[in-house]
Amino acid sequence: MICKKSTTWLLAVLLFALHIPSFSQSSQWTYDFNNGLIPIESGGPSLKQLGEPGQYIKEKIPGSEDLSRSIYVFQKNSGLQFSNIEAKGFLNKSFTIEIYFKLDELDSWKRVLDFKNRKSDYGSYIYDGKLNFYDYAIGEKAPVKAGQYVHYVYSRDFETKVIKMYINGLSKVEFKDPGTEGMLDNDQVLNFFQDDLIANHESSAGSIALIRVYDRVMTPVFIRRSYQTIAKTFKEPIAKAEKAPEKETIAPEPSVKKKSNMATVTGRIYDGRNLKPVNDAEVLVRKSNNDSLVAQTKTVDGIYNFELTPYESYRISAQADGFQSKSVSIRTTNRFEEVKSLISLSPESYTAPLSTLYFTQSTEVLEDAAMSGLDSIVAYFQKRDDLKIILKGHTDNTGDFEKNLDLSRKRVETVKAYLTGRGIPENRIEGVGYGSAQPSRVNQTEALKKSNRRVDVWAEPIKR
């Protein structure tokens, strides 16, 4: 058992060394498990147990003779929950979450934070020693090892949507939330360590020594100082990153020498149902401003790797047999930069076009960018003889309706002629022109009208 003197000393170090006040209208809630799931600060919400009830254990602090700490030990696919409703909207805007914990297993994806109350795969994980926010960002390999305590910090800025993740005081991941994936949903609960109901094997048993939540974004200096204070207090051995080169773990061709002035883009393609890598997926890179194809490759064990010109915006598209194609946008902001991205593929559903080809106003002539897109479509349909092609032609609303209808049909015929010229049998291609009747966007500006001058390429199973 820990004596009162030890408890008082340890609490004083953790609070006063960080200059964190304790008062009823707190700007943070701290849980050190000396008083169960009740926070140190008065008036705060208690944490709730998830899954199997955990145990409170007094654990000796390494390197000390008479000091110990309280920890909460949880089982696999169990953990804790913070209620934002009971906290009266504490995490509704900018916030930071700080945890000092260890996981027993790190052999695959392991959940850390869940913002959607077990209804989604999206959230914070540790995978292969890397911090990850599925499926938008992955960091470099961090010193995270099974059975060893680690200081983990997650923050989200309400105004900029920027999410940052730190390990042992150092920033490892920074990206812009594409929506509200990094915020609480209508259930208004933050779950720790318990995985969702979609792929519920992605969790580990473990122990927590400290949880602290803040109603603001904490600075990198503060986070580094917080880690240094906790590490000094708890005297844990400092985990060090593996010596193996990073490229050996993520690059399909690590022997290729990097060009000195290029940005490296690496990523992985995953099956969204089970997070397994998708091998032999085709990955295409196009410039965002003109849709020109600049690079393409195929995945090896789900991995792809490109070297691209810096200071450019690109669209990376992935397609694989049995999956619906998907695209993500990236920007290379510097030379020598390494950009990392994940692409999660869903099973084929045929509820969206495989590709959209754009045309210049009043013409049915295929542009170079459209032909590049068609080439990849040809390769796809040559392998998938169980599918037929449905072409749907469209125009903007400029000019006479009947003339636009005729133009949309001509655009369909142009695409059909290109496909048959590349070896796709004519009896596998159907097409119809809609003129201006089915705009994808409202024809209010020239930029919006441009998106309506198109032919959508759909796939449909052939009925046997």
Side-chain angles (χ1 to χ4, degrees), residues 9-27:
W9 173 84
L10 182 58
L11 182 57
V13 171
L14 289 176
L15 291 179
F16 292 109
L18 295 176
H19 303 288
I20 297 174
S22 178
F23 48 95
S24 58
Q25 296 300 320
S26 181
S27 57

Side-chain angles (χ1 to χ4, degrees), residues 86-104:
E86 293 183 13
K88 300 179 180 178
F90 188 79
L91 299 179
N92 279 354
K93 292 191 174 182
S94 296
F95 60 88
T96 302
I97 302 160
E98 181 180 14
I99 328 172
Y100 196 65
F101 69 97
K102 66 179 177 180
L103 296 179
D104 296 348

Side-chain angles (χ1 to χ4, degrees), residues 372-392:
S372 296
L374 273 176
D375 288 340
S376 62
I377 290 294
V378 168
Y380 173 75
F381 280 103
Q382 284 174 338
K383 291 186 296 183
R384 296 295 305 274
D385 57 5
D386 60 319
L387 300 175
K388 63 181 177 180
I389 303 171
I390 309 296
L391 303 176
K392 299 181 180 181

Side-chain angles (χ1 to χ4, degrees), residues 200-211:
N200 56 15
H201 58 281
E202 294 158 358
S203 63
S204 171
S207 306
I208 320 172
L210 179 72
I211 293 177

Side-chain angles (χ1 to χ4, degrees), residues 3-42:
C3 66
K4 290 185 178 180
K5 180 179 178 182
S6 298
T7 304
T8 303
W9 173 84
L10 182 58
L11 182 57
V13 171
L14 289 176
L15 291 179
F16 292 109
L18 295 176
H19 303 288
I20 297 174
S22 178
F23 48 95
S24 58
Q25 296 300 320
S26 181
S27 57
Q28 72 278 319
W29 301 115
T30 306
Y31 303 85
D32 69 352
F33 309 106
N34 279 303
N35 195 22
L37 301 180
I38 300 173
I40 292 172
E41 301 85 1
S42 61

Side-chain angles (χ1 to χ4, degrees), residues 44 56 93 98 154 400 424 455:
Y56 304 100
K93 292 191 174 182
E98 181 180 14
Y154 173 102
D400 181 74
I424 302 296
V455 169

Side-chain angles (χ1 to χ4, degrees), residues 104-115:
D104 296 348
E105 301 175 6
L106 283 174
D107 55 332
S108 62
W109 296 79
K110 300 303 175 188
R111 172 78 79 170
V112 179
L113 300 175
D114 170 20
F115 300 93

Side-chain angles (χ1 to χ4, degrees), residues 238-417:
I238 299 175
K240 295 182 179 180
E242 299 290 339
K243 293 182 179 180
E246 178 72 8
K247 285 186 178 179
E248 291 185 6
T249 63
I250 62 173
E253 297 179 359
S255 60
V256 176
K257 189 174 181 180
K258 186 182 184 303
K259 298 176 183 178
S260 60
N261 61 346
M262 302 292 277
T264 300
V265 178
T266 60
R268 300 194 183 198
I269 312 295
Y270 289 97
D271 185 333
R273 296 165 294 185
N274 52 31
L275 302 187
K276 292 182 179 179
V278 177
N279 193 34
D280 208 33
E282 187 172 15
V283 187
L284 307 174
V285 182
R286 291 184 172 88
K287 284 190 176 182
S288 297
N289 59 354
N290 59 14
D291 206 41
S292 60
L293 182 67
V294 296
Q296 65 184 96
T297 188
K298 289 195 174 183
T299 58
V300 177
D301 295 328
I303 300 165
Y304 64 88
N305 187 359
F306 295 106
E307 288 186 347
L308 302 175
T309 304
Y311 312 109
E312 293 275 3
S313 295
Y314 299 94
R315 191 176 78 256
I316 300 178
S317 301
Q319 54 191 42
D321 292 348
F323 294 93
Q324 198 168 335
S325 60
K326 184 176 180 179
S327 297
V328 297
S329 297
I330 66 162
R331 179 168 177 80
T332 53
T333 57
N334 203 349
R335 292 184 302 162
F336 320 118
E337 177 188 43
E338 188 165 10
V339 181
K340 302 187 180 185
S341 64
L342 292 176
I343 299 179
S344 170
L345 297 184
S346 302
E348 283 180 321
S349 62
Y350 314 111
T351 58
L354 293 180
S355 180
T356 298
L357 313 171
Y358 296 100
F359 292 78
T360 301
Q361 187 176 31
S362 302
T363 75
E364 68 271 20
V365 178
L366 275 173
E367 299 180 357
D368 290 342
M371 284 190 283
S372 296
L374 273 176
D375 288 340
S376 62
I377 290 294
V378 168
Y380 173 75
F381 280 103
Q382 284 174 338
K383 291 186 296 183
R384 296 295 305 274
D385 57 5
D386 60 319
L387 300 175
K388 63 181 177 180
I389 303 171
I390 309 296
L391 303 176
K392 299 181 180 181
H394 306 273
T395 69
D396 62 28
N397 66 347
T398 303
D400 181 74
F401 178 82
E402 291 298 328
K403 289 183 178 179
N404 283 334
L405 188 61
D406 183 58
L407 177 60
S408 67
R409 291 167 179 161
K410 289 179 179 178
R411 287 173 175 170
V412 167
E413 289 302 317
T414 299
V415 176
K416 182 176 180 179

